[in-house]
Amino acid sequence: MTFKPAAARLAIILFCMGLTAPALAQTDDLQEAQQLLKQGQTGRAMERVEQYLKTKPKDARGRFLRGILLTEQNKPTEAIRVFTELTQDYPELPEPYNNLAVLYASQGQYDKARGALEMAIRTHPSYATAHENLGDIYAKMASQAYDKALQLDKGNQAAQTKLNLIKDLFTGGMRPPKVALAQTVPKSAPAPAPPARPITPVPAAPAAQAAPPKPAPAPVVAAKEPVKEPVKEPAPAKATPLANNPDAVLKAVNSWASAWASNDVDGYLARYAPGFKTPDGEPRKTWESERRARIAKPRKIEVRVEAPKVTFNDANRATVTFRQHYRSNTFKVSAGKKLVMVKSGNQWLIQEEIVGG
Amino acid sequence: MKHPLLACALVAAITATALTPSSSTLALGNRPLSPGTGSLLGLGGGSAALGAPEALLVQTLLAIASSQFDIALTEIDKVLLQNPNFRLAHLIKGDLLMARARPISSIGSASDAPMERLADLRDEARARLVRHKQERPLNRVPRALLQLDPAQKYAFVVDTSKYTLYVFENDKGTPRYIADYYTTIGRNGIEKLREGDKKTPLGVYHVTGNLPREQLSKTYGTQSALYGDGAFPLNYPNEWDRRRGRNGHGIWLHGVPFDTYSRPPRASDGCVALTNEDLQAISKHVQVGLTPVIIAQDVEWVEAGSAKTTRNTLQQSIESWRRDWESRDTEQYLRHYSTNFAAGKQDLAAWATQKRSVNADKSWIKVKVDQVSMFLYPGDENLAVVTFEQDYSSSNTSGKMRKRQYWQLEKGGWRIVHEGAA
């Protein structure tokens, strides 16, 4: 498992740090980059950020945003490097630590994640996000320990579900810092340029946040500037991750198994897609009548699905692998099984059934 | 707050163990459970006491009981560093971490955990706490160890109700406690009767073989993984078991699979399993064919030397039997045999007939009895297992053998109920 599950609150922080007061044009670069990010155009956003960093290579906001973009582009190693350097250059900022922790957690490196969060809390003891994330990390570490204690299968369903959850969060749910950062001005802050804008946090996705985001207090130099509205409405969650809900797939697998176990032939056959590939390429009718004859026989059987694992090929196609335990009064067999599932309307149906493995 | 709940849960677990009816005959005082007194920490089992995994684990539990969670987490990490496969330690670590995330209410707060495995680990925690609380029998001996043969350097006594194997050293005839270890016994408990009943037999046994790792692999292939580092077969069913119609076979002392540090207290098919580390430790003490392994439900402890009377009476009976045999007064000799006597297919009448005819032809008999060990049978204090080297010579035949007799205390004294080669 390379991408370890993390609970819902473990969200990357995206915000505009009130560290510098750069020239207007440059700030525009950064704001545009943020807007592009919200539209999902990470490539173009990255171009802007890099443009910006050419003139201000040490700038915390620019580098922070670059870290977010690298995370978005699924380049955790580079993102970790960016956030690590930020913690070195600006050790008093909790946010880079927090995001570092999220990245470590996503790689299953919970000890490192814990260390990073503890640093975030040390710099800002009342930093709620880090406290919440730390709680989640402890829960994750606990569940790792429980897995070892109880010899639980790592590829279990819960882990899969959460894995998707965190993907959602990376694309959709950003939360603002709960600490006003404008007060922390790093030593390396460049001389303020006169027409600086007040720095406002990017609003979080509404669902992910408890309190409405408060804009950071404007720096004194910009006191007369009106507080700007948040740059953009929260980015809508992307469509695909929500569709990839393994629970729905597993529900379908379970009702297939229970229809089978209760000799409910119609219920059982209804779980197969119209385009189901029969095992030997026989006509669907032949296959159905054979199954009907077998399954309808009233007898006591047991079908158990163990350790199912769902992989999405795309939003409408998923593969479920599991261990199938079948037991009747005369016969008992356990084998690996693979079901290729397709989404048809609201339902997941079986497209192909492969035994073995 | 979160932590006090965890403390409560564990304190409850610890208290529950205090209520577990511990051996009623046990004359040992329980130590108070007060963490931090330091005196507790040296008690953790025989395997090197302080720093041994079990001692560290128990220290963790005690730290939790006194709400020192950070210490507990540090301690448990130490345990896991040494023993990455110690499942119970992982469970406790899980609890310590989980308590930081949300309130928890019992040991093993894993959600969706398989209940059976969780129950196994909780049982192990309880068993290890009980073990830890037990004062070590520094000046006491199990009543069953009446006398060790001078050649027997060590004796093992398993107390199944404590999930503990005690090692005693033969110190000039007096058994002296040197160590004890957590053990796993049969999943269905004790008093083995039948093949496959997954119970551990109670009785007086001896180690009959030594199967180190290489030997196990050679003989049993991959299946031998279950036995871990090695195995010492015992002579179950012994003469007394067979006589009572008990069957089954393959009761061993052995290690545990390499993917785990230990097994739950009740998990074996009847064998007595120890951690591989502990098995290594006791293997230094094993003499194949000699080392006694007494398996008892509740070991009865007595002051060293207090069994003198029983021992002397039994010794005198053996000596009197020996002399009567030498005297060639067969009727006098036969008085030492119980009406319940049986050896193989021979009952007392058959035995008497044979002895009368054999002795009639002899002009003299000399019997030397040496290297005598005497053990009381667990669960039956009127039965003693006596093993010795017998050097027999007579006017027409002679021979040496290792003999085993079962003596029963009847009205009027000890009598032999079984006799045969050991």
Side-chain angles (χ1 to χ4, degrees), chain B residues 322-330 333 355 358-368 391-397:
Chain B
R322 188 194 67 79
R323 268 193 273 115
D324 288 339
W325 193 4
E326 281 189 339
S327 77
R328 287 178 295 130
D329 180 345
T330 309
Y333 160 84
K355 288 292 168 187
V358 167
N359 286 355
D361 300 338
K362 297 182 190 291
S363 53
W364 59 270
I365 297 177
K366 270 209 142 341
V367 183
K368 273 209 311 206
D391 188 353
Y392 173 91
S393 48
S394 67
S395 47
N396 53 5
T397 52

PDB file of all heavy atoms in Angstrom, chain B residues 322-330 333 355 358-368 391-397:
ATOM      1  N   ARG B 322      12.490 -53.910  47.906  1.00  0.00           N
ATOM      2  CA  ARG B 322      13.764 -54.373  47.379  1.00  0.00           C
ATOM      3  C   ARG B 322      14.310 -55.531  48.235  1.00  0.00           C
ATOM      4  O   ARG B 322      14.727 -56.567  47.732  1.00  0.00           O
ATOM      5  CB  ARG B 322      14.761 -53.206  47.365  1.00  0.00           C
ATOM      6  CG  ARG B 322      16.080 -53.498  46.673  1.00  0.00           C
ATOM      7  CD  ARG B 322      17.133 -52.442  46.988  1.00  0.00           C
ATOM      8  NE  ARG B 322      17.533 -52.482  48.405  1.00  0.00           N
ATOM      9  CZ  ARG B 322      18.388 -53.373  48.931  1.00  0.00           C
ATOM     10  NH1 ARG B 322      18.924 -54.292  48.168  1.00  0.00           N
ATOM     11  NH2 ARG B 322      18.674 -53.343  50.217  1.00  0.00           N
ATOM     12  N   ARG B 323      14.245 -55.332  49.551  1.00  0.00           N
ATOM     13  CA  ARG B 323      14.789 -56.349  50.450  1.00  0.00           C
ATOM     14  C   ARG B 323      13.977 -57.644  50.391  1.00  0.00           C
ATOM     15  O   ARG B 323      14.527 -58.737  50.372  1.00  0.00           O
ATOM     16  CB  ARG B 323      14.844 -55.819  51.891  1.00  0.00           C
ATOM     17  CG  ARG B 323      16.219 -55.170  52.187  1.00  0.00           C
ATOM     18  CD  ARG B 323      16.411 -54.941  53.674  1.00  0.00           C
ATOM     19  NE  ARG B 323      15.837 -53.647  54.058  1.00  0.00           N
ATOM     20  CZ  ARG B 323      14.814 -53.502  54.872  1.00  0.00           C
ATOM     21  NH1 ARG B 323      14.229 -54.542  55.418  1.00  0.00           N
ATOM     22  NH2 ARG B 323      14.358 -52.295  55.152  1.00  0.00           N
ATOM     23  N   ASP B 324      12.667 -57.476  50.327  1.00  0.00           N
ATOM     24  CA  ASP B 324      11.805 -58.669  50.264  1.00  0.00           C
ATOM     25  C   ASP B 324      12.038 -59.444  48.968  1.00  0.00           C
ATOM     26  O   ASP B 324      11.912 -60.658  48.921  1.00  0.00           O
ATOM     27  CB  ASP B 324      10.335 -58.269  50.397  1.00  0.00           C
ATOM     28  CG  ASP B 324      10.016 -57.836  51.825  1.00  0.00           C
ATOM     29  OD1 ASP B 324      10.786 -58.230  52.731  1.00  0.00           O
ATOM     30  OD2 ASP B 324       9.028 -57.111  52.024  1.00  0.00           O
ATOM     31  N   TRP B 325      12.367 -58.695  47.918  1.00  0.00           N
ATOM     32  CA  TRP B 325      12.664 -59.368  46.654  1.00  0.00           C
ATOM     33  C   TRP B 325      13.958 -60.180  46.804  1.00  0.00           C
ATOM     34  O   TRP B 325      14.031 -61.353  46.435  1.00  0.00           O
ATOM     35  CB  TRP B 325      12.791 -58.310  45.542  1.00  0.00           C
ATOM     36  CG  TRP B 325      12.783 -58.860  44.147  1.00  0.00           C
ATOM     37  CD1 TRP B 325      12.608 -60.163  43.768  1.00  0.00           C
ATOM     38  CD2 TRP B 325      12.990 -58.108  42.944  1.00  0.00           C
ATOM     39  NE1 TRP B 325      12.665 -60.282  42.406  1.00  0.00           N
ATOM     40  CE2 TRP B 325      12.902 -59.035  41.860  1.00  0.00           C
ATOM     41  CE3 TRP B 325      13.216 -56.767  42.652  1.00  0.00           C
ATOM     42  CZ2 TRP B 325      13.058 -58.638  40.525  1.00  0.00           C
ATOM     43  CZ3 TRP B 325      13.359 -56.374  41.326  1.00  0.00           C
ATOM     44  CH2 TRP B 325      13.279 -57.283  40.269  1.00  0.00           C
ATOM     45  N   GLU B 326      14.977 -59.550  47.392  1.00  0.00           N
ATOM     46  CA  GLU B 326      16.260 -60.229  47.615  1.00  0.00           C
ATOM     47  C   GLU B 326      16.099 -61.457  48.513  1.00  0.00           C
ATOM     48  O   GLU B 326      16.794 -62.464  48.358  1.00  0.00           O
ATOM     49  CB  GLU B 326      17.267 -59.264  48.265  1.00  0.00           C
ATOM     50  CG  GLU B 326      17.896 -58.295  47.295  1.00  0.00           C
ATOM     51  CD  GLU B 326      19.048 -57.518  47.929  1.00  0.00           C
ATOM     52  OE1 GLU B 326      19.101 -57.426  49.174  1.00  0.00           O
ATOM     53  OE2 GLU B 326      19.896 -57.002  47.172  1.00  0.00           O
ATOM     54  N   SER B 327      15.170 -61.389  49.456  1.00  0.00           N
ATOM     55  CA  SER B 327      14.989 -62.478  50.430  1.00  0.00           C
ATOM     56  C   SER B 327      14.442 -63.754  49.787  1.00  0.00           C
ATOM     57  O   SER B 327      14.474 -64.817  50.385  1.00  0.00           O
ATOM     58  CB  SER B 327      14.038 -62.030  51.540  1.00  0.00           C
ATOM     59  OG  SER B 327      12.705 -62.065  51.040  1.00  0.00           O
ATOM     60  N   ARG B 328      13.925 -63.655  48.577  1.00  0.00           N
ATOM     61  CA  ARG B 328      13.313 -64.770  47.835  1.00  0.00           C
ATOM     62  C   ARG B 328      12.065 -65.309  48.547  1.00  0.00           C
ATOM     63  O   ARG B 328      11.567 -66.362  48.196  1.00  0.00           O
ATOM     64  CB  ARG B 328      14.335 -65.892  47.590  1.00  0.00           C
ATOM     65  CG  ARG B 328      15.360 -65.509  46.521  1.00  0.00           C
ATOM     66  CD  ARG B 328      16.388 -66.616  46.341  1.00  0.00           C
ATOM     67  NE  ARG B 328      17.191 -66.780  47.550  1.00  0.00           N
ATOM     68  CZ  ARG B 328      17.409 -67.941  48.143  1.00  0.00           C
ATOM     69  NH1 ARG B 328      16.900 -69.052  47.662  1.00  0.00           N
ATOM     70  NH2 ARG B 328      18.144 -68.004  49.229  1.00  0.00           N
ATOM     71  N   ASP B 329      11.576 -64.554  49.535  1.00  0.00           N
ATOM     72  CA  ASP B 329      10.299 -64.909  50.155  1.00  0.00           C
ATOM     73  C   ASP B 329       9.221 -64.259  49.301  1.00  0.00           C
ATOM     74  O   ASP B 329       8.822 -63.111  49.514  1.00  0.00           O
ATOM     75  CB  ASP B 329      10.266 -64.386  51.588  1.00  0.00           C
ATOM     76  CG  ASP B 329       8.952 -64.728  52.288  1.00  0.00           C
ATOM     77  OD1 ASP B 329       7.973 -65.110  51.580  1.00  0.00           O
ATOM     78  OD2 ASP B 329       8.898 -64.587  53.519  1.00  0.00           O
ATOM     79  N   THR B 330       8.780 -64.975  48.288  1.00  0.00           N
ATOM     80  CA  THR B 330       7.914 -64.387  47.274  1.00  0.00           C
ATOM     81  C   THR B 330       6.616 -63.838  47.854  1.00  0.00           C
ATOM     82  O   THR B 330       6.128 -62.797  47.421  1.00  0.00           O
ATOM     83  CB  THR B 330       7.623 -65.398  46.148  1.00  0.00           C
ATOM     84  OG1 THR B 330       8.884 -65.917  45.702  1.00  0.00           O
ATOM     85  CG2 THR B 330       6.926 -64.747  44.973  1.00  0.00           C
ATOM     86  N   TYR B 333       7.334 -60.562  49.356  1.00  0.00           N
ATOM     87  CA  TYR B 333       7.555 -59.628  48.241  1.00  0.00           C
ATOM     88  C   TYR B 333       6.228 -59.202  47.621  1.00  0.00           C
ATOM     89  O   TYR B 333       5.994 -58.026  47.349  1.00  0.00           O
ATOM     90  CB  TYR B 333       8.483 -60.320  47.232  1.00  0.00           C
ATOM     91  CG  TYR B 333       8.494 -59.774  45.825  1.00  0.00           C
ATOM     92  CD1 TYR B 333       9.298 -58.675  45.471  1.00  0.00           C
ATOM     93  CD2 TYR B 333       7.733 -60.378  44.817  1.00  0.00           C
ATOM     94  CE1 TYR B 333       9.327 -58.204  44.168  1.00  0.00           C
ATOM     95  CE2 TYR B 333       7.757 -59.905  43.513  1.00  0.00           C
ATOM     96  CZ  TYR B 333       8.559 -58.826  43.188  1.00  0.00           C
ATOM     97  OH  TYR B 333       8.596 -58.353  41.912  1.00  0.00           O
ATOM     98  N   LYS B 355       6.172 -64.747  39.278  1.00  0.00           N
ATOM     99  CA  LYS B 355       7.242 -64.479  40.236  1.00  0.00           C
ATOM    100  C   LYS B 355       7.559 -65.734  41.070  1.00  0.00           C
ATOM    101  O   LYS B 355       8.725 -66.047  41.329  1.00  0.00           O
ATOM    102  CB  LYS B 355       6.866 -63.316  41.166  1.00  0.00           C
ATOM    103  CG  LYS B 355       6.892 -61.980  40.464  1.00  0.00           C
ATOM    104  CD  LYS B 355       8.316 -61.576  40.076  1.00  0.00           C
ATOM    105  CE  LYS B 355       8.278 -60.390  39.121  1.00  0.00           C
ATOM    106  NZ  LYS B 355       9.597 -60.029  38.572  1.00  0.00           N
ATOM    107  N   VAL B 358       9.592 -68.144  38.897  1.00  0.00           N
ATOM    108  CA  VAL B 358      10.934 -67.641  38.602  1.00  0.00           C
ATOM    109  C   VAL B 358      11.829 -67.718  39.842  1.00  0.00           C
ATOM    110  O   VAL B 358      12.961 -68.197  39.791  1.00  0.00           O
ATOM    111  CB  VAL B 358      10.877 -66.194  38.065  1.00  0.00           C
ATOM    112  CG1 VAL B 358      12.257 -65.563  38.059  1.00  0.00           C
ATOM    113  CG2 VAL B 358      10.280 -66.174  36.678  1.00  0.00           C
ATOM    114  N   ASN B 359      11.298 -67.290  40.985  1.00  0.00           N
ATOM    115  CA  ASN B 359      12.102 -67.225  42.196  1.00  0.00           C
ATOM    116  C   ASN B 359      12.468 -68.612  42.743  1.00  0.00           C
ATOM    117  O   ASN B 359      13.483 -68.779  43.402  1.00  0.00           O
ATOM    118  CB  ASN B 359      11.376 -66.428  43.290  1.00  0.00           C
ATOM    119  CG  ASN B 359      11.413 -64.939  42.972  1.00  0.00           C
ATOM    120  OD1 ASN B 359      12.061 -64.537  42.006  1.00  0.00           O
ATOM    121  ND2 ASN B 359      10.742 -64.141  43.786  1.00  0.00           N
ATOM    122  N   ALA B 360      11.648 -69.606  42.452  1.00  0.00           N
ATOM    123  CA  ALA B 360      11.837 -70.953  42.996  1.00  0.00           C
ATOM    124  C   ALA B 360      13.179 -71.551  42.590  1.00  0.00           C
ATOM    125  O   ALA B 360      13.784 -72.312  43.339  1.00  0.00           O
ATOM    126  CB  ALA B 360      10.698 -71.860  42.549  1.00  0.00           C
ATOM    127  N   ASP B 361      13.640 -71.193  41.371  1.00  0.00           N
ATOM    128  CA  ASP B 361      14.876 -71.773  40.852  1.00  0.00           C
ATOM    129  C   ASP B 361      16.145 -71.089  41.349  1.00  0.00           C
ATOM    130  O   ASP B 361      17.235 -71.468  40.952  1.00  0.00           O
ATOM    131  CB  ASP B 361      14.877 -71.703  39.319  1.00  0.00           C
ATOM    132  CG  ASP B 361      13.712 -72.465  38.721  1.00  0.00           C
ATOM    133  OD1 ASP B 361      13.182 -73.356  39.434  1.00  0.00           O
ATOM    134  OD2 ASP B 361      13.332 -72.159  37.578  1.00  0.00           O
ATOM    135  N   LYS B 362      16.005 -70.042  42.107  1.00  0.00           N
ATOM    136  CA  LYS B 362      17.178 -69.231  42.430  1.00  0.00           C
ATOM    137  C   LYS B 362      17.731 -69.553  43.802  1.00  0.00           C
ATOM    138  O   LYS B 362      16.978 -69.771  44.751  1.00  0.00           O
ATOM    139  CB  LYS B 362      16.829 -67.744  42.333  1.00  0.00           C
ATOM    140  CG  LYS B 362      16.424 -67.313  40.933  1.00  0.00           C
ATOM    141  CD  LYS B 362      16.137 -65.832  40.886  1.00  0.00           C
ATOM    142  CE  LYS B 362      15.491 -65.446  39.559  1.00  0.00           C
ATOM    143  NZ  LYS B 362      16.407 -65.564  38.416  1.00  0.00           N
ATOM    144  N   SER B 363      19.048 -69.532  43.903  1.00  0.00           N
ATOM    145  CA  SER B 363      19.660 -69.729  45.217  1.00  0.00           C
ATOM    146  C   SER B 363      19.982 -68.383  45.862  1.00  0.00           C
ATOM    147  O   SER B 363      20.155 -68.299  47.071  1.00  0.00           O
ATOM    148  CB  SER B 363      20.923 -70.592  45.097  1.00  0.00           C
ATOM    149  OG  SER B 363      21.784 -70.024  44.134  1.00  0.00           O
ATOM    150  N   TRP B 364      20.114 -67.337  45.044  1.00  0.00           N
ATOM    151  CA  TRP B 364      20.278 -65.990  45.606  1.00  0.00           C
ATOM    152  C   TRP B 364      19.805 -64.918  44.619  1.00  0.00           C
ATOM    153  O   TRP B 364      19.780 -65.139  43.408  1.00  0.00           O
ATOM    154  CB  TRP B 364      21.714 -65.726  46.041  1.00  0.00           C
ATOM    155  CG  TRP B 364      22.730 -65.849  44.898  1.00  0.00           C
ATOM    156  CD1 TRP B 364      23.384 -66.989  44.548  1.00  0.00           C
ATOM    157  CD2 TRP B 364      23.155 -64.803  44.021  1.00  0.00           C
ATOM    158  NE1 TRP B 364      24.215 -66.757  43.485  1.00  0.00           N
ATOM    159  CE2 TRP B 364      24.094 -65.399  43.138  1.00  0.00           C
ATOM    160  CE3 TRP B 364      22.846 -63.454  43.879  1.00  0.00           C
ATOM    161  CZ2 TRP B 364      24.726 -64.682  42.121  1.00  0.00           C
ATOM    162  CZ3 TRP B 364      23.487 -62.736  42.862  1.00  0.00           C
ATOM    163  CH2 TRP B 364      24.413 -63.356  42.003  1.00  0.00           C
ATOM    164  N   ILE B 365      19.422 -63.736  45.165  1.00  0.00           N
ATOM    165  CA  ILE B 365      19.022 -62.576  44.349  1.00  0.00           C
ATOM    166  C   ILE B 365      19.667 -61.345  44.959  1.00  0.00           C
ATOM    167  O   ILE B 365      19.697 -61.195  46.191  1.00  0.00           O
ATOM    168  CB  ILE B 365      17.486 -62.366  44.338  1.00  0.00           C
ATOM    169  CG1 ILE B 365      16.775 -63.561  43.683  1.00  0.00           C
ATOM    170  CG2 ILE B 365      17.120 -61.076  43.615  1.00  0.00           C
ATOM    171  CD1 ILE B 365      15.259 -63.455  43.703  1.00  0.00           C
ATOM    172  N   LYS B 366      20.216 -60.512  44.095  1.00  0.00           N
ATOM    173  CA  LYS B 366      20.699 -59.216  44.566  1.00  0.00           C
ATOM    174  C   LYS B 366      20.030 -58.114  43.745  1.00  0.00           C
ATOM    175  O   LYS B 366      19.982 -58.187  42.516  1.00  0.00           O
ATOM    176  CB  LYS B 366      22.218 -59.124  44.407  1.00  0.00           C
ATOM    177  CG  LYS B 366      22.973 -59.620  45.630  1.00  0.00           C
ATOM    178  CD  LYS B 366      24.298 -58.886  45.749  1.00  0.00           C
ATOM    179  CE  LYS B 366      24.780 -58.517  47.144  1.00  0.00           C
ATOM    180  NZ  LYS B 366      23.857 -58.481  48.228  1.00  0.00           N
ATOM    181  N   VAL B 367      19.467 -57.100  44.403  1.00  0.00           N
ATOM    182  CA  VAL B 367      18.814 -55.996  43.701  1.00  0.00           C
ATOM    183  C   VAL B 367      19.389 -54.680  44.185  1.00  0.00           C
ATOM    184  O   VAL B 367      19.411 -54.424  45.393  1.00  0.00           O
ATOM    185  CB  VAL B 367      17.282 -55.985  43.927  1.00  0.00           C
ATOM    186  CG1 VAL B 367      16.638 -54.857  43.127  1.00  0.00           C
ATOM    187  CG2 VAL B 367      16.661 -57.322  43.554  1.00  0.00           C
ATOM    188  N   LYS B 368      19.911 -53.915  43.238  1.00  0.00           N
ATOM    189  CA  LYS B 368      20.367 -52.572  43.601  1.00  0.00           C
ATOM    190  C   LYS B 368      19.411 -51.550  42.983  1.00  0.00           C
ATOM    191  O   LYS B 368      19.056 -51.657  41.818  1.00  0.00           O
ATOM    192  CB  LYS B 368      21.802 -52.337  43.102  1.00  0.00           C
ATOM    193  CG  LYS B 368      22.836 -52.822  44.095  1.00  0.00           C
ATOM    194  CD  LYS B 368      24.167 -52.063  44.075  1.00  0.00           C
ATOM    195  CE  LYS B 368      24.787 -51.869  42.716  1.00  0.00           C
ATOM    196  NZ  LYS B 368      26.252 -51.706  42.745  1.00  0.00           N
ATOM    197  N   ASP B 391      19.573 -52.645  39.195  1.00  0.00           N
ATOM    198  CA  ASP B 391      20.653 -53.563  38.845  1.00  0.00           C
ATOM    199  C   ASP B 391      20.340 -54.888  39.530  1.00  0.00           C
ATOM    200  O   ASP B 391      20.472 -55.039  40.740  1.00  0.00           O
ATOM    201  CB  ASP B 391      21.988 -52.976  39.345  1.00  0.00           C
ATOM    202  CG  ASP B 391      23.173 -53.785  38.856  1.00  0.00           C
ATOM    203  OD1 ASP B 391      22.947 -54.866  38.249  1.00  0.00           O
ATOM    204  OD2 ASP B 391      24.309 -53.345  39.086  1.00  0.00           O
ATOM    205  N   TYR B 392      19.905 -55.825  38.733  1.00  0.00           N
ATOM    206  CA  TYR B 392      19.420 -57.104  39.263  1.00  0.00           C
ATOM    207  C   TYR B 392      20.403 -58.202  38.908  1.00  0.00           C
ATOM    208  O   TYR B 392      20.839 -58.297  37.768  1.00  0.00           O
ATOM    209  CB  TYR B 392      18.045 -57.383  38.639  1.00  0.00           C
ATOM    210  CG  TYR B 392      17.460 -58.742  38.946  1.00  0.00           C
ATOM    211  CD1 TYR B 392      16.634 -58.939  40.045  1.00  0.00           C
ATOM    212  CD2 TYR B 392      17.728 -59.834  38.119  1.00  0.00           C
ATOM    213  CE1 TYR B 392      16.082 -60.177  40.311  1.00  0.00           C
ATOM    214  CE2 TYR B 392      17.178 -61.083  38.377  1.00  0.00           C
ATOM    215  CZ  TYR B 392      16.354 -61.246  39.481  1.00  0.00           C
ATOM    216  OH  TYR B 392      15.797 -62.480  39.741  1.00  0.00           O
ATOM    217  N   SER B 393      20.751 -58.993  39.920  1.00  0.00           N
ATOM    218  CA  SER B 393      21.531 -60.192  39.600  1.00  0.00           C
ATOM    219  C   SER B 393      21.050 -61.331  40.488  1.00  0.00           C
ATOM    220  O   SER B 393      20.536 -61.101  41.595  1.00  0.00           O
ATOM    221  CB  SER B 393      23.025 -59.938  39.781  1.00  0.00           C
ATOM    222  OG  SER B 393      23.264 -59.313  41.022  1.00  0.00           O
ATOM    223  N   SER B 394      21.194 -62.553  39.964  1.00  0.00           N
ATOM    224  CA  SER B 394      20.728 -63.712  40.721  1.00  0.00           C
ATOM    225  C   SER B 394      21.575 -64.900  40.329  1.00  0.00           C
ATOM    226  O   SER B 394      22.441 -64.803  39.464  1.00  0.00           O
ATOM    227  CB  SER B 394      19.258 -63.978  40.421  1.00  0.00           C
ATOM    228  OG  SER B 394      19.124 -64.394  39.074  1.00  0.00           O
ATOM    229  N   SER B 395      21.293 -66.025  40.947  1.00  0.00           N
ATOM    230  CA  SER B 395      22.107 -67.213  40.677  1.00  0.00           C
ATOM    231  C   SER B 395      22.050 -67.629  39.214  1.00  0.00           C
ATOM    232  O   SER B 395      22.989 -68.221  38.708  1.00  0.00           O
ATOM    233  CB  SER B 395      21.647 -68.354  41.579  1.00  0.00           C
ATOM    234  OG  SER B 395      20.226 -68.433  41.531  1.00  0.00           O
ATOM    235  N   ASN B 396      20.953 -67.311  38.514  1.00  0.00           N
ATOM    236  CA  ASN B 396      20.905 -67.759  37.122  1.00  0.00           C
ATOM    237  C   ASN B 396      20.761 -66.647  36.069  1.00  0.00           C
ATOM    238  O   ASN B 396      21.027 -66.856  34.911  1.00  0.00           O
ATOM    239  CB  ASN B 396      19.825 -68.825  36.921  1.00  0.00           C
ATOM    240  CG  ASN B 396      18.481 -68.342  37.445  1.00  0.00           C
ATOM    241  OD1 ASN B 396      18.350 -67.187  37.856  1.00  0.00           O
ATOM    242  ND2 ASN B 396      17.502 -69.223  37.431  1.00  0.00           N
ATOM    243  N   THR B 397      20.286 -65.441  36.439  1.00  0.00           N
ATOM    244  CA  THR B 397      20.198 -64.349  35.446  1.00  0.00           C
ATOM    245  C   THR B 397      20.582 -63.036  36.103  1.00  0.00           C
ATOM    246  O   THR B 397      20.602 -62.914  37.325  1.00  0.00           O
ATOM    247  CB  THR B 397      18.754 -64.155  34.908  1.00  0.00           C
ATOM    248  OG1 THR B 397      17.893 -64.020  36.028  1.00  0.00           O
ATOM    249  CG2 THR B 397      18.324 -65.256  33.983  1.00  0.00           C
TER     250      THR B 397
END
